[in-house]
Amino acid sequence: QLQIVESGGGLVQPGGSLRLSCAASGSALDNYNIGWYRQAPGKERVGISCINNSDGTTYYADSVKGRFTISRDNAKNTVYLQMNSLKSEDTARYYCTAAPVDTGIWCPSTYAWYYWGKGTLVTVSS
């Protein structure tokens, strides 16, 4: 049984940076696709970035491409999302999600993922 927990959110000024962590327990992440999704108030949950934790393939939404970087540390069983040049429109609750690689579940799909964390809040404001 896989469990995932997000951390690293908080209040940051426009132009600042944060690094979010998705820490897993119960199973190794080597054979999972991992996704970062976000949901702003009044909006739908959308896929921001995904990584195939087996071969390293990545996905980035156009809204974050060039500013965010997803990475993995399999030894720590953790996936990270480095967020740079943050904008007010990045304000949202950020969720980590996971599915076995062989399911083919991938960004930007919202509803097919097997496991979800509780989320971590990111607020970008002066």
Side-chain angles (χ1 to χ4, degrees), residues 23-46:
S25 61
S27 297
L29 289 178
D30 303 57
N31 298 317
Y32 285 84
N33 291 330
I34 305 296
W36 283 102
Y37 284 67
R38 69 185 184 188
Q39 187 168 24
K43 295 186 177 181
E44 296 182 352
R45 190 176 300 184
V46 297

Side-chain angles (χ1 to χ4, degrees), residues 46-88:
V46 297
I48 300 303
S49 185
C50 282
I51 186 167
N52 180 323
N53 223 37
S54 180
D55 66 14
T57 302
T58 58
Y59 164 94
Y60 296 97
D62 289 343
S63 59
V64 306
K65 191 173 297 182
R67 300 188 297 121
F68 291 10
T69 303
I70 192 169
S71 62
R72 61 184 174 175
D73 187 340
N74 287 345
K76 295 183 179 294
N77 216 29
T78 299
V79 172
Y80 303 98
L81 185 69
Q82 178 67 47
M83 306 186 295
N84 298 326
S85 302
L86 284 163
K87 307 173 181 179
S88 60

